[in-house]
Amino acid sequence: MAVIGLIVSIFPPELVDSAVEDVGSKEVRRRALPARLVTYFVIAMAVWPQLGYVGVLEKLATALRWTRAAVPPFIKIPSDGSIAKARARLGDEALHRLFELSPEQAGAPSGSDGPVRAGRRICSLTGALLALPDTFDNRHAFDVPPDQEVPQGRLLMLGDNASRAVLGAAFEGAGTEQSGMVRSLLGRTPGPLLVLVDPDLPAADLLHEIRSAGADAAWRLAASEVWTPLSILADGSCLAVLGDGAGQPPLRVVEFSSASEGGASPVTHRLATTVVDPDVLPAQELVRAHLERFRTETVFQLLTRSRPDLRSPFRSRSPELVRQELWGMLCCYQALRLLVVAPIAGGTAGHGEETFPAKCS
């Protein structure tokens, strides 16, 4: 019940009403399930993923009595069908708008409150393909990758490294070009930024979009990636060019070793960054930021903590409601992270990585 109180404190009724009105989803007549209540219901679906619609609404209604959400009491809890119709009336734009309002409301730091180096706010670009309920409409809207059996949605997120708040998110079909999604994300996020690109994303392909947004980037080079050192810098990193270097400005490469769990021999990794001055971003700080970066699993491990066996965290069978549910999940995460941000932000714990600085070779 305390979780709902936290959600209401971060997304108070006036903010919910504002989001609903901004997208024109406010009802024109009084209903048993008004837009405000349905908005809280969608967020609460992520709190109790193991329950059906009626079960979620019963728990939500009980919890809301102790908050200032001011929703009407029920004489009788509506049926699953009535709740589904209320979700459809609300649509996905109100939850999306509420999420857009959430970083500041949820206490994400301003440019000077988070981890900042030389005026750059450190954040992480991460993403994943998410399995969706297998319906005709979801297959048509989100695509089924060749190696998969069910439709998949592509989620990209920009997360703040200190607060673990999600600063922005884009959610499209599995086949959507990621560069356009990154362009949209960075265009809506105040800078200047240092963007740590997740190893699972094609950093080299996204570098143009990151630089065009006025941001700096850092990412782990693949073992097969060709690079040529130009000169060794004072902190042991080096100036280098990728590939043949034709028409490209030099980058900086930092080498470090990681020890995996089980006592395996350390493996050397290389980070590339557009921040070429080691006085602006020392090698040790870059490696630490990389190891402590915000990850997609940070969000979904928290949201599915009560159902780790779930094949998919989604239950919606239409594209609009899938999107509505996704924005509700992210709103829920923005609140829940405040309860666990200290353990999550503990850095390398759980990833089996300890750094041993190395000079470029």
Side-chain angles (χ1 to χ4, degrees):
M1 299 305 176
V3 171
I4 297 300
L6 178 61
I7 289 171
V8 172
S9 70
I10 291 171
F11 301 103
E14 56 270 20
L15 187 67
V16 172
D17 293 346
S18 176
V20 169
E21 290 180 10
D22 284 351
V23 300
S25 294
K26 186 176 181 180
E27 56 275 309
V28 295
R29 63 186 178 89
R30 187 176 181 86
R31 294 183 180 275
L33 291 167
R36 178 193 294 176
L37 176 59
V38 178
T39 300
Y40 284 128
F41 171 82
V42 175
I43 299 173
M45 286 167 56
V47 177
W48 295 293
Q50 75 278 17
L51 298 180
Y53 280 2
V54 169
V56 171
L57 188 57
E58 286 176 339
K59 284 187 171 290
L60 176 65
T62 299
L64 287 178
R65 293 173 190 163
W66 304 99
T67 72
R68 63 187 190 91
V71 296
F74 291 112
I75 298 175
K76 179 181 178 181
I77 292 289
S79 66
D80 283 348
S82 296
I83 298 170
K85 290 178 181 177
R87 285 189 63 198
R89 284 196 302 271
L90 181 65
D92 64 308
E93 292 184 358
L95 269 296
H96 190 182
R97 177 59 181 154
L98 187 63
F99 168 74
E100 289 179 336
L101 298 172
S102 67
E104 181 179 353
Q105 295 295 329
S110 63
S112 60
D113 294 327
V116 175
R117 188 71 192 181
R120 297 167 178 83
R121 180 181 186 176
I122 301 177
C123 58
S124 301
L125 179 65
T126 183
L129 288 177
L130 304 178
L132 307 175
D134 192 5
T135 67
F136 175 83
D137 288 341
N138 284 345
R139 281 176 169 261
H140 179 73
F142 291 105
D143 307 324
V144 180
D147 58 340
Q148 300 293 325
E149 298 180 352
V150 299
Q152 308 271 312
R154 182 178 297 282
L155 174 67
L156 289 184
M157 293 186 292
L158 198 63
D160 185 85
N161 259 35
S163 69
R164 273 11 193 194
V166 180
L167 304 177
F171 185 58
E172 302 291 347
T176 304
E177 184 180 327
Q178 295 182 77
S179 59
M181 297 173 70
V182 170
R183 186 184 316 125
S184 174
L185 268 180
L186 294 177
R188 300 194 303 267
T189 307
L193 305 172
L194 171 61
V195 180
L196 307 173
V197 183
D198 190 273
D200 291 334
L201 296 177
D205 297 338
L206 302 176
L207 184 56
H208 173 74
E209 301 300 338
I210 295 172
R211 280 179 152 167
S212 296
D216 280 298
W219 68 99
R220 193 173 74 194
L221 294 173
S224 59
E225 201 157 358
V226 178
W227 61 285
T228 304
L230 301 177
S231 61
I232 305 296
L233 300 174
D235 66 345
S237 62
C238 65
L239 286 180
V241 291
L242 300 183
D244 60 12
Q248 298 181 24
L251 302 171
R252 183 160 147 253
V253 173
V254 173
E255 290 192 346
F256 72 99
S257 297
S258 66
S260 301
E261 293 179 359
S265 299
V267 177
T268 298
H269 302 287
R270 297 176 177 90
L271 299 178
T273 179
T274 57
V275 182
V276 296
D277 186 345
D279 292 332
V280 171
L281 183 64
Q284 289 273 17
E285 292 191 23
L286 176 59
V287 172
R288 187 182 307 116
H290 168 76
L291 295 179
E292 296 179 355
R293 69 192 181 277
F294 174 93
R295 293 168 163 88
T296 303
E297 52 264 38
T298 298
V299 174
F300 287 95
Q301 284 174 358
L302 183 59
L303 292 177
T304 61
R305 68 206 180 284
S306 62
R307 285 290 304 276
D309 60 319
L310 284 178
R311 182 183 183 189
S312 168
F314 293 89
R315 62 178 94 189
S316 301
R317 301 183 62 81
S318 72
E320 184 179 35
L321 295 189
V322 164
R323 294 187 179 94
Q324 181 197 77
E325 191 173 359
L326 183 279
W327 300 122
M329 288 178 186
L330 293 183
C331 286
C332 183
Y333 168 78
Q334 297 286 60
L336 292 181
R337 71 176 178 83
L338 297 178
L339 298 176
V340 294
V341 67
I344 286 178
T348 61
H351 296 285
E353 296 174 309
E354 295 181 21
T355 62
F356 302 87
K359 291 189 176 182
C360 279
S361 57

